[in-house]
Structures are given as structure tokens and as C-alpha cells.
Amino acid sequence: MKKDLWANFRIKAVTLYDKPASYFKETPLDLQHNLFLKLAKDYEPFKPRAGSPSADRSAFTERDGKNGNVVKPRGRPALLISSTSWTEDEDFSVLLRALEDYERFIEEGAKLPALVCVITGKGPLKDYYNGLIQKLHFRHIQICTPWLEAEDYPLLLGSADLGVCLHKSSSGLDLPMKVVDMFGCCLPVCAIHFECLHELVKHNENGLIFRDSKELAEQLKMLFLDFSASEGKLQSFRENLRRCRQQRWEQSWDHTVLPLLGNKG
């Protein structure tokens, strides 16, 4: 955008990047567990799997009856999250086709975890895509489209294993705030390519960039093949996000804008 303003209008601009608010951060296990139990009251994918009923267990977490600690049990599903305003700017059929391929990978014998895909948000095309989702008959994937309370959204981002962004900038000049928030939660991201996305998503460093559903499906397969391991691409991306210690909105404003105002606040 800075280059565009100069090339077209001879405006010299200073870039103030969007940064996550301070409440976008990794969610402690206790809070994850409480959130999952809360969501399990209304949404089937958060309920514990058959054969493991417990008043203190979700699909992703359980509280140890002896010491009271919350743990993520082996064999749990992976939690993928995407957020949208359900408009034509985001083609969610790309994700649905990728999930069909992911299901096929498992049916063909790939050692991949079951997947819970949570798509949050409100918008005009939500009913249309919910209709498409209802026609899908997955055995290993559950899709959920909740509307979350404002305080629960950052908690869920901070609890997820992978974020997916399908936002395509019509101008090619703006960056998706949803990815900024995911990165604030140290959540690795797969994001669809557009012109300036590389300013935010560093391919193979804090996430992956894809161009179509086939490429996304292969990325999901690659990232989740080592899902139960303590080391792997997902963990590497998360560690990179932790290490970068990115500025928050208030710090970014103070660092970039205040000097231009002569520190007048």
C-alpha cells in the first residue's frame, strides 16, 4: 500500500501494520478445557468421543482425576479453525474440497488424526455454505459453524492447532486481520495467496501459502502426519511465532505513529 500510494499519488506514507490486541494469546490448558466443555453443551464436535464418557472430558481435553491437571489425550482430533464474514470475498468451497481430499487420504491409509473444523462468523452466504456442508458425509471430519461470544473467540484461537485463511484482497493491498489475530495466539496458518500476503505470512516459517484446494489438502496432510509428535512443522511454526515476540497494537502505535506526531498524545 505504501508503494501504491507513492506510485499513483506521490504520497509518502509510513506503514502502520495491524497488530493483535493483547488478549489474543495462547490459551492455558485449564481455560481451553473450560471453553471446550462450554461449547460441548451446544456443539457435537466438542463432545468426548463414544466410549469415553466423562463429566470432565471434552473431545480435546480431560482432567486427570488424581492430580486435577488438564491434559490433551493421545488420539484426540486435530482442531482447525477459520473465521469469515461469509461473503463472496472468501470462497469456502476451497476448504471443503481440501477436506474431501483429507478424508480420502485417511480412507487410503494415511496415518492422520480425525479433524474438527470450526468456521466462525456471520454473513450472507452462511446458509449457502451450511447447505453444502450438510451434503458432505465424512467419517473422520466434523465441521462446526458456531457464532462465538466475543470473549470466546480469542480463547478458541489460542486453543487451536491450525488456522486457515481464505481471505483474498480485492485490491491486493490489505492484509487479513484474522491472520494477525491468529499469529497473536501463536497459531500457525495456511493462507490463500494474493499479492501482498508475503508481508504477513512467511511461507514455511510461520505458516504456509496455498493457491488452490489441492495444494491446501497436501499441506494439511503434511502438517498433520506428525501431529502426535512433539516435533514437526506445526510445532516449528508455533515456536517461530513465539520467538518473534511481535508488537501489540499499543506498542506499534507508540513506536511508529507517536514520533510522527512529535510524541503528542
Side-chain angles (χ1 to χ4, degrees):
M1 188 176 291
K2 177 180 177 180
K3 291 179 181 177
D4 187 76
L5 287 172
W6 176 251
N8 291 311
F9 304 104
R10 287 297 183 262
I11 294 174
K12 285 188 175 182
V14 172
T15 302
L16 175 67
Y17 282 103
D18 275 329
K19 298 292 181 181
S22 57
Y23 48 80
F24 284 98
K25 56 189 176 183
E26 291 187 80
T27 306
L29 270 176
D30 268 357
L31 291 182
Q32 288 188 33
H33 185 59
N34 292 340
L35 175 66
F36 294 147
L37 291 179
K38 175 182 176 180
L39 293 173
K41 295 176 182 177
D42 297 309
Y43 303 106
E44 187 69 26
F46 290 92
K47 295 179 180 179
R49 299 298 178 260
S52 58
S54 168
D56 212 354
R57 183 181 179 120
S58 73
F60 308 98
T61 53
E62 61 184 349
R63 190 177 296 278
D64 188 304
K66 295 180 180 178
N67 58 29
N69 293 335
V70 173
V71 296
K72 291 187 174 183
R74 290 182 65 84
R76 71 173 179 89
L79 178 56
L80 181 154
I81 186 165
S82 188
S83 56
T84 179
S85 52
W86 296 110
T87 65
E88 293 179 357
D89 287 342
E90 295 175 276
D91 182 2
F92 262 81
S93 63
V94 173
L95 176 57
L96 299 184
R97 289 194 298 270
L99 293 177
E100 288 180 304
D101 284 345
Y102 186 92
E103 175 86 359
R104 178 173 53 80
F105 294 151
I106 296 178
E107 296 289 345
E108 291 173 351
K111 302 299 183 184
L112 293 165
L115 192 61
V116 172
C117 178
V118 178
I119 309 171
T120 70
K122 283 183 177 179
L125 293 179
K126 184 173 182 177
D127 288 344
Y128 168 75
Y129 280 109
N130 269 331
L132 295 182
I133 289 167
Q134 289 168 11
K135 294 177 182 177
L136 299 172
H137 300 289
F138 292 137
R139 293 179 57 210
H140 307 283
I141 300 171
Q142 292 176 288
I143 302 175
C144 183
T145 59
W147 173 250
L148 298 174
E149 295 176 16
E151 62 270 21
D152 288 341
Y153 177 62
L155 292 177
L156 189 59
L157 288 188
S159 307
D161 298 301
L162 179 68
V164 170
C165 176
L166 292 161
H167 170 83
K168 271 194 170 183
S169 168
S170 55
S171 67
L173 299 175
D174 63 293
L175 296 170
M177 191 63 201
K178 68 191 72 180
V179 173
V180 173
D181 294 337
M182 289 174 180
F183 283 171
C185 295
C186 296
L187 178 62
V189 168
C190 291
I192 197 163
H193 173 270
F194 61 88
E195 189 62 32
C196 66
L197 184 64
H198 65 278
E199 293 183 41
L200 179 61
V201 181
K202 311 298 183 185
H203 185 70
N204 220 28
E205 183 179 321
N206 56 19
L208 298 169
I209 296 173
F210 62 90
R211 294 176 181 270
D212 56 34
S213 63
K214 292 295 182 186
E215 193 170 7
L216 175 58
E218 290 296 333
Q219 290 177 358
L220 296 180
K221 181 181 181 182
M222 181 269 290
L223 291 172
F224 288 132
L225 270 175
D226 55 10
F227 179 63
S228 60
S230 58
E231 296 181 358
K233 277 287 186 184
L234 269 180
Q235 187 61 25
S236 173
F237 293 162
R238 194 179 291 274
E239 289 297 334
N240 288 341
L241 286 164
R242 287 169 179 158
R243 277 195 295 268
C244 77
R245 298 172 185 260
Q246 62 177 308
Q247 290 180 327
R248 299 297 165 150
W249 172 254
E250 298 86 352
Q251 297 167 320
S252 181
W253 177 273
D254 290 347
H255 182 265
T256 305
V257 178
L258 278 188
L260 302 175
L261 304 176
N263 290 320
K264 295 176 182 177

